[in-house]
Amino acid sequence: MNNTVLVKKGLKKRYLKEKLFKSAGIVSIGIAFMFLLVLLTDVITKAIPAFTQTQVTLTVELNAEALDLNQNSSVDDIMQADFRQPIRDALKKRFDGVTKRNDKKQLYSLVSIGSEYQLRDLVLEDTSLIGTTLTYDFIADDDVDAVIKGAIDRELPESDRRVKNLKLSWIEEMETSGEIDTAFNWLFFSAGDSREPELAGIKGAILGSLYTLMVTLALSFPVAVAAAIYLEEFAPKNRFIDFIEININNLAAVPSIVFGLLGLAVFINFFSMPRSAPLVGGIVLSLMTLPTIIIASRSAIKAVPPSLREAALGLGASKMQTVFHHVLPAALPGILTGTIIGMAQALGETAPLLMIGMVAFIVDIPQSIGDPSTVLPIQVFLWADAPERGFLEKTSAAILVLLVFLITMNAVAIKLRKKFEKKW
Amino acid sequence: MSISALILLLAILAAFGFFIGRQKIHLQYKLQSDKPRITTLPKYFGYVAGLAALIPALLVLLILEVAETPWINHQISQEINTGLSVSEVQSSSDLDLFLNDIKNATTDREVAALTDEKKVIHEHYQRIVNTAQWGKTAVVLSLSVLLGLLALKRINIDTRARVLFEKTLEWILLAAASIAIMTTVGIVLSVLFESVRFFGDVPVVDFMFGTEWSPQTAIRADQVGSSAAFGAVPLFVGTMLISVIALFVSVPLGLMSAIYLSEYASRSVRAVAKPVLEILAGIPTVVYGFFAALTVAPFIRDMGESIGMSVASESALAAGLVMGIMIIPFVSSLADDVMSAVPQSLREGSLGLGATRSETIVKVLIPAALPGIVGGVLLAASRAIGETMIVVMAAGLAANLTANPLEAVTTVTVQIVTLLTGDQEFDSTKTLAAFALGLMLFITTLILNMIALYVVRKYREQYE
């Protein structure tokens, strides 16, 4: 009797504890989810402005004499011509009465320094423009861009504001007359890196990532599959094989930066391979992803039922024929899934590539695996460090592009696994 | 001939060997009058001839490719030292610079810009490079042709070509598996070699127990503010501090998530929540670094200021918190695994005696799964110690010996990155220090991983 009372007395407390414990689990998952949500919202909201670009509409007079060009000028001549002057003239004409040196400087800085190259490219494409007057949307300077997008508070006192009153009045005047507007930022996807935020793009980084991943895939896939086949199907049980297995497991847990040190000491210093090149980056990353793919491939091969092997062997196939004609095709979906996941890891990796010099500022878009280039994560790292405000949105946008690639790769991997999932 | 052209040519030679080899057997078979039972498919004879033409030549090419640059350097410096006297070259570092100028001049315009003295050397250099190139091409191609022909001559209808081919293939597979060993050896040698040079300059004891870290080496003896000190204790402490914060975040959150997912959650919740948790592990660390540096750190600083505390803008807390979130999946998935490995009978026994679920978990499941959980935590700790990008972007650069999480600290990985990025020569104590730090990092994480794997494995055997 006494015991029942005691138990009943304790029950309430125990049930409360039970509830608390369960809710602690929900709360911890909730915290992780919330963090992910905050991170993604933060990145996305910061990134959105990067996909539009402010443009300034100007009417430019391409005076043939002043440019020293004619309809039949050669490409070289056009490249040499001074296209800065017509833009300045157009600005001066739009806001006449600007005479002071400092004011003029501010006036000219309404458009990006890239605008003269825009003009030059127009002329290069169509020489009949020489001698005519044309109206065109030029890229605005990053400060103008920031004002239009609301990143610079117009209400702030002038002394605290990056854009001074005079310039602001011009911007507002052009804004009301419709000469300043925003358009989709194609340049972001078609340009290389730049010191000017309004001109910077990620094409160079995307191509660099692509080349690096190509090298990584070409090296790690065949080697990893071969290693997995050997270890699962042919390896005898001995010390040497144990040693190989221990090494593979260890490599999977070695910090990535140590692989960077290996790349620096061995490939760059010892073999004198080119710095900053996707070739070296790809080699280093392939050594890193090798364990991941080997481990995934091994479990895929292991999952192929022995009956398949026995049937092939029973019909007189050799061990090698059994493996290459029957086991490997059956395991391939699993191997591919592991490979895609390994590639996704390699795509997001930054630290080892810092060591081999892929952190250099590179404007040119790489043409081959031997050219200096950068990769997406490093581009993020470089831009995150840049002091100009315009780079903040570029960084977030580059992160977004990186995440889109990663999510696509993972989705493909999941799809592949689902499609080929077999119950033997 | 460029290396890619050479490889292409080798591939063509191998294909050629394959066809001739196969054809030879076809022909032999046709010519035989009694048509004996043939034990091997004709294509295997082709494979044998093709591999003979390809594999040894490729290996030799690889070796020559590796040896080429050192050989060229040796040759040209020999010529400079003996035959040609060059006024600019006084010491070996002068020689390196001098050679660099010559090697970098690849286009005609660049060559024209060289000094006369360099032009002469440039010609010699070109000659040596040409010799090397032609030598390489000749050796590799003749080896390929020779071995291919030899194989073609040796094979006949009685050869066990399939066995031969499969044996070779097995060796190739073994070689692929051995790359893991070579990588490990490469890592150990590269960090060890440079570390030994570093410890020649800086005593091990100073490095391990010194409390001052300022790697700026003085270029001149009288330079102000550049007294190098390589005491790594502040870095170890900083690394530990950030890792401990990360573990304080990730262990309870990861463990509770794993418990909820494996013991309470319904199938559908689990199907959604598990992959979402895994996304956390898939996000590139540079993204976490950006988030930590630009969102979390300022947030913490503002919070601190609002209650009157001074918080550094690059606090250990910010980096640790974000890193903790990042490693939640590592803790949770391992804990999940070991807890589902606990036999159902243990749960049923406890529940049958009237314990609540939480009591079962705390008193039965967790003690039973403890070694596995500890293993998971150790693996997470080694991740935290080796993690680079978050700390590079969100922790400080200045070595600061403190246990206060609100101050900026620096870590081993941050210092490796700062010492090795930018322009530098690779024989200064400063750059060598990075390799010594890399060695410490490698050893520490290796030991942690070994212990973790040992603990996990030992536990898993208990129920079998």
Side-chain angles (χ1 to χ4, degrees), chain A residues 186-343:
Chain A
W186 289 110
L187 198 66
F188 181 66
F189 294 98
S190 64
D193 198 4
S194 167
R195 296 261 186 238
E196 305 295 322
E198 73 271 15
L199 298 177
I202 54 167
K203 191 179 176 192
I206 288 182
L207 278 179
S209 274
L210 200 72
Y211 289 137
T212 310
L213 280 189
M214 265 167 33
V215 175
T216 309
L217 185 67
L219 290 176
S220 61
F221 181 70
V223 173
V225 174
I229 289 176
Y230 186 78
L231 293 175
E232 272 312 311
E233 301 283 341
F234 295 100
K237 273 253 164 279
N238 64 28
R239 285 236 176 119
F240 183 64
I241 302 299
D242 278 351
F243 187 56
I244 290 181
E245 298 205 1
I246 291 172
N247 268 298
I248 290 174
N249 285 332
N250 270 336
L251 280 185
V254 169
S256 59
I257 194 168
V258 174
F259 283 94
L261 289 176
L262 166 80
L264 177 65
V266 174
F267 300 120
I268 305 242
N269 284 355
F270 191 68
F271 292 157
S272 321
M273 284 164 115
R275 261 172 168 267
S276 310
L279 177 65
V280 183
I283 295 176
V284 170
L285 289 183
S286 68
L287 293 180
M288 252 188 76
T289 47
L290 212 53
T292 314
I293 308 181
I294 292 179
I295 291 167
S297 303
R298 284 187 71 171
S299 56
I301 292 172
K302 209 183 269 173
V304 177
S307 55
L308 206 79
R309 294 183 185 81
E310 283 153 14
L313 291 171
L315 287 173
S318 72
K319 180 87 189 160
M320 199 59 86
Q321 285 167 335
T322 306
V323 170
F324 276 92
H325 297 174
H326 302 281
V327 177
L328 195 57
L332 208 55
I335 294 175
L336 288 182
T337 316
T339 308
I340 296 173
I341 289 169
M343 287 297 117

Side-chain angles (χ1 to χ4, degrees), chain A residues 14 18 26 28 35 42 46 230 243-244 247-248 253 255 261-262 265 269 271 275 318 320-321 392 395 399 406, chain B residues 44 66 166 174 180 184 186 190 253 256 260 264 284 290 294-295 325 354 356-359 420 426 445 449:
Chain A
R14 285 172 63 202
E18 167 75 21
I26 297 176
S28 16
F35 181 87
D42 187 56
K46 277 183 185 147
Y230 186 78
F243 187 56
I244 290 181
N247 268 298
I248 290 174
L261 289 176
L262 166 80
N269 284 355
F271 292 157
R275 261 172 168 267
S318 72
M320 199 59 86
Q321 285 167 335
L392 180 68
T395 315
I399 288 177
L406 282 177
Chain B
Y44 285 106
V66 167
E166 289 184 351
L174 175 63
T184 313
S190 57
L253 288 181
M256 287 314 287
Y260 183 77
Y264 287 106
F290 174 72
L294 271 98
T295 308
I325 301 280
T356 61
R357 277 190 143 172
S358 60
E359 284 162 352
L420 284 182
F426 283 97
T445 50
N449 291 328

Side-chain angles (χ1 to χ4, degrees), chain B residues 423-455:
Chain B
D423 305 315
Q424 77 283 92
E425 76 281 35
F426 283 97
D427 39 16
S428 78
T429 322
K430 199 174 132 189
T431 48
L432 292 178
F435 286 92
L437 289 175
L439 182 67
M440 296 300 300
L441 185 66
F442 181 70
I443 293 175
T444 317
T445 50
L446 193 69
I447 292 174
L448 271 179
N449 291 328
M450 292 279 211
I451 298 175
L453 285 176
Y454 174 76
V455 170

Side-chain angles (χ1 to χ4, degrees), chain A residues 60 64 66 68 75 89 92 98 116 146 158 162 168 226 231 274 278 305 320 341 353 398:
Chain A
V60 183
D68 196 16
V75 174
D89 291 341
K92 259 193 285 191
V98 180
E116 52 185 292
E158 188 179 9
R162 231 187 106 90
L168 191 63
L231 293 175
M320 199 59 86
I341 289 169
L353 301 180

Side-chain angles (χ1 to χ4, degrees), chain B residues 102-116:
Chain B
I102 288 163
K103 284 181 196 167
N104 287 339
T106 45
T107 62
D108 286 345
R109 197 193 287 178
E110 281 167 341
V111 174
L114 293 175
T115 60
D116 286 340

Side-chain angles (χ1 to χ4, degrees), chain B residues 385-441:
Chain B
I385 291 171
E387 167 49 40
T388 310
M389 292 322 290
I390 295 180
V391 285
V392 166
M393 294 170 85
L397 286 178
N400 197 352
L401 190 56
T402 175
N404 181 357
L406 301 178
E407 279 185 48
V409 294
T410 193
T411 69
V412 173
T413 48
V414 170
Q415 288 306 316
I416 295 177
V417 170
T418 36
L419 291 175
L420 284 182
T421 45
D423 305 315
Q424 77 283 92
E425 76 281 35
F426 283 97
D427 39 16
S428 78
T429 322
K430 199 174 132 189
T431 48
L432 292 178
F435 286 92
L437 289 175
L439 182 67
M440 296 300 300
L441 185 66

Side-chain angles (χ1 to χ4, degrees), chain A residues 24 28-29 31-32, chain B residues 241-259 277 280 288 317 319-336 373-374 376-385:
Chain A
S28 16
I29 293 184
I31 290 176
Chain B
L241 181 62
I242 290 184
S243 304
V244 165
I245 296 171
L247 289 177
F248 262 113
V249 175
S250 62
V251 171
L253 288 181
L255 205 55
M256 287 314 287
S257 309
I259 287 173
L277 269 188
L280 283 176
Y288 284 111
L317 189 60
L321 276 180
V322 174
M323 196 194 284
I325 301 280
M326 185 195 87
I327 53 181
I328 284 179
F330 297 104
V331 179
S332 73
S333 67
L334 230 122
D336 195 17
I373 293 170
V374 171
V377 172
L378 287 179
L379 281 179
S382 108
R383 280 268 157 186
I385 291 171

Side-chain angles (χ1 to χ4, degrees), chain B residues 21-40:
Chain B
R22 200 176 57 172
Q23 230 39 52
K24 181 180 169 184
I25 299 304
H26 270 302
L27 222 68
Q28 262 190 15
Y29 187 70
K30 259 187 212 158
L31 289 177
Q32 262 171 352
S33 48
D34 54 341
K35 304 283 179 222
R37 227 173 73 90
I38 182 166
T39 52
T40 307

